[in-house]
Amino acid sequence: MTPRTPSTATGRRLALATALAAVAIQLPIYDRWFGLLDEGYMLSLAADVRRGQVLYRDVYVDAPFPAAFHVLAAWFALLGTSIWAERVLAVVLFAVFAAASVRLATLLVPAFAAGAFAVLLLCYRIWAFPHWHVYSYSSLAVTLLALATLVVATAGLRPARWRLLGAGLLAGATVLSKQDYGLACTGALGLYLLLRLAVYPEEPDRLRRSFQDGLVFGLGAALVVGPVLAAIAAAGAWDAFVYQTVVSPLTSTRSGTYVELPPLLPLWRQDPALRAGIGSYFPAILQTLRWDEIAAGPAYRTGIAWDLALKAVFYGPYGVWWTAVAWWGLQLARGRGRPDALRLLVLAYAGGFLLAFNTPRDWVHLMMIYPPAMLLGCVLASDAAARLRALGRAALA
């Protein structure tokens, strides 16, 4: 049973309220702390762009594609080059991301569940520190992907093709912001468009329409990525670009030692491997503000609660995704209804982020792939609640 979703007007109001709340909770803290490494790196390269330097040719870039630096440089052109301006952009990005995510939720679940998801997102903003606290290519990419997924969701089964073209443009911009998120999630959304009508045999010309939808989406992505790559080549930076964004990251990943997921076992005693790398697995906000007290407390020194909680958080997105696959797949196999297209879309959206969760698989990188899994979990919980209510009404009858 699919729960009743709120009206378009209600969904938009809830999304706007979420954006305002996201700004409100960030204002007291947005200018606290400073990240010399990642934040300083973004500020420095954006300032280089403002000075007319060509990325990759004149400035070495450690892995990312160029979009995030150019976006920040353009923002500096509006507000001036400063840490304050960069932090304002970080506030704006999270507000847009939260609003788009909640608007997507309103297309899938009732208003109460979407409101609960909004509250969960605002709490997530704190736990995701330092991401979202500062501007980064990850936060830009995640925001663009949320918008792209929302545009695909609002297109429906019989979309106006300009919507899919717009979603492709956003997805292409994501590839230029962070290539792993961009490529994995753009591929997942494209695969969804190609396969979504397969479970709707009553739709006329479904194979042709699916192919055309995927083609328009891919064209939108190509219209963004192609000219940027051509401009890099025209600037004489192509060889350096390929080395710095493709060859070097792949080489370092194969040869370096990066943090992996904490081992799942042992469960019922303290995990020496997790404890040895606790700096990578522990919530960054607690590590920054409360680590001394936590490490000296008996719950951490002698208990297993922290070990269990951290493993649950790290493996949670995978558990949610496979639960959705099993539940909806079983319904389809038994002929008890099929998941609607938007549920398949969220499944693809979350799956793309899980596919893109490369090393290092530590807390701060885990947090950036979490919201789609949170949304998927919200949908599963809402569906389960609707089914339980239906069973209760049947039992009462």
Side-chain angles (χ1 to χ4, degrees):
M1 180 178 178
T2 301
R4 183 179 178 182
T5 56
S7 67
T8 299
T10 300
R12 288 173 178 170
R13 284 195 294 268
L14 185 55
L16 177 59
T18 301
L20 295 175
V23 172
I25 68 164
Q26 293 180 93
L27 287 180
I29 59 173
Y30 83 102
D31 59 349
R32 306 295 92 184
W33 187 76
F34 180 73
L36 182 60
L37 181 58
D38 289 351
E39 186 175 15
Y41 173 71
M42 294 297 304
L43 289 163
S44 176
L45 266 65
D48 287 336
V49 172
R50 287 270 288 145
R51 287 192 290 266
Q53 302 270 43
V54 176
L55 296 180
Y56 314 106
R57 187 193 71 187
D58 304 328
V59 182
Y60 187 89
V61 180
D62 187 14
F65 276 15
F69 307 108
H70 284 273
V71 167
L72 184 55
W75 186 259
F76 284 161
L78 294 175
L79 299 184
T81 302
S82 68
I83 298 173
W84 173 82
E86 172 255 334
R87 289 295 179 86
V88 170
L89 181 55
V91 170
V92 170
L93 280 181
F94 181 73
V96 172
F97 166 76
S101 299
V102 170
R103 180 69 184 104
L104 182 58
T106 63
L107 301 175
L108 291 146
V109 297
F112 177 80
F117 175 68
V119 173
L120 193 61
L121 268 182
L122 298 179
C123 296
Y124 154 82
R125 161 64 181 83
I126 305 302
W127 292 103
F129 174 85
H131 278 111
W132 294 117
H133 199 76
V134 301
Y135 172 82
S136 73
Y137 40 82
S138 296
S139 57
L140 178 63
V142 169
T143 303
L144 291 171
L145 277 171
L147 290 170
T149 306
L150 177 60
V151 173
V152 172
T154 56
L157 288 180
R158 300 177 181 274
R161 292 284 159 74
W162 65 267
R163 287 180 179 268
L164 296 183
L165 184 68
L169 293 172
L170 290 165
T174 302
V175 173
L176 294 174
S177 303
K178 195 172 191 298
Q179 52 266 46
D180 50 0
Y181 291 178
L183 291 172
C185 293
T186 298
L189 293 178
L191 186 63
Y192 160 78
L193 290 171
L194 289 172
L195 299 180
R196 63 179 176 162
L197 293 180
V199 295
Y200 294 90
E202 71 278 7
E203 289 291 326
D205 298 326
R206 54 198 176 107
L207 295 179
R208 179 179 60 82
R209 285 173 47 208
S210 294
F211 177 77
Q212 290 175 344
D213 291 348
L215 188 63
V216 171
F217 177 77
L219 175 62
L223 287 175
V224 173
V225 175
V228 172
L229 296 184
I232 291 172
W238 180 257
D239 291 342
F241 166 77
V242 171
Y243 176 78
Q244 293 169 36
T245 63
V246 180
V247 177
S248 180
L250 290 176
T251 302
S252 63
T253 300
R254 287 195 298 265
S255 61
T257 302
Y258 291 95
V259 175
E260 293 288 352
L261 289 171
L264 190 58
L265 299 175
L267 279 179
W268 305 117
R269 59 184 174 86
Q270 288 189 358
D271 187 339
L274 184 147
R275 296 293 177 118
I278 198 65
S280 298
Y281 299 127
F282 211 74
I285 190 66
L286 293 182
Q287 194 172 24
T288 301
L289 300 177
R290 297 286 184 268
W291 173 247
D292 290 342
E293 299 96 309
I294 292 171
Y300 182 79
R301 287 187 293 106
T302 61
I304 63 170
W306 280 110
D307 304 68
L308 290 174
L310 291 177
K311 290 181 181 182
V313 172
F314 271 84
Y315 285 95
Y318 297 95
V320 168
W321 196 85
W322 283 109
T323 298
V325 170
W327 187 353
W328 294 334
L330 188 62
Q331 289 180 351
L332 195 61
R334 290 182 174 180
R336 295 182 177 177
R338 58 196 174 204
D340 64 59
L342 291 184
R343 279 158 175 71
L344 298 179
L345 173 61
V346 174
L347 189 68
Y349 178 45
F353 273 98
L354 290 178
L355 187 63
F357 187 30
N358 301 315
T359 53
R361 295 185 175 96
D362 55 13
W363 179 272
V364 295
H365 291 89
L366 171 75
M367 287 296 100
M368 294 310 286
I369 62 104
Y370 230 88
M374 290 163 51
L375 176 57
L376 188 59
C378 179
V379 173
L380 289 175
S382 181
D383 286 358
R387 185 170 291 275
L388 287 175
R389 286 194 296 270
L391 290 174
R393 285 194 297 268
L396 182 62

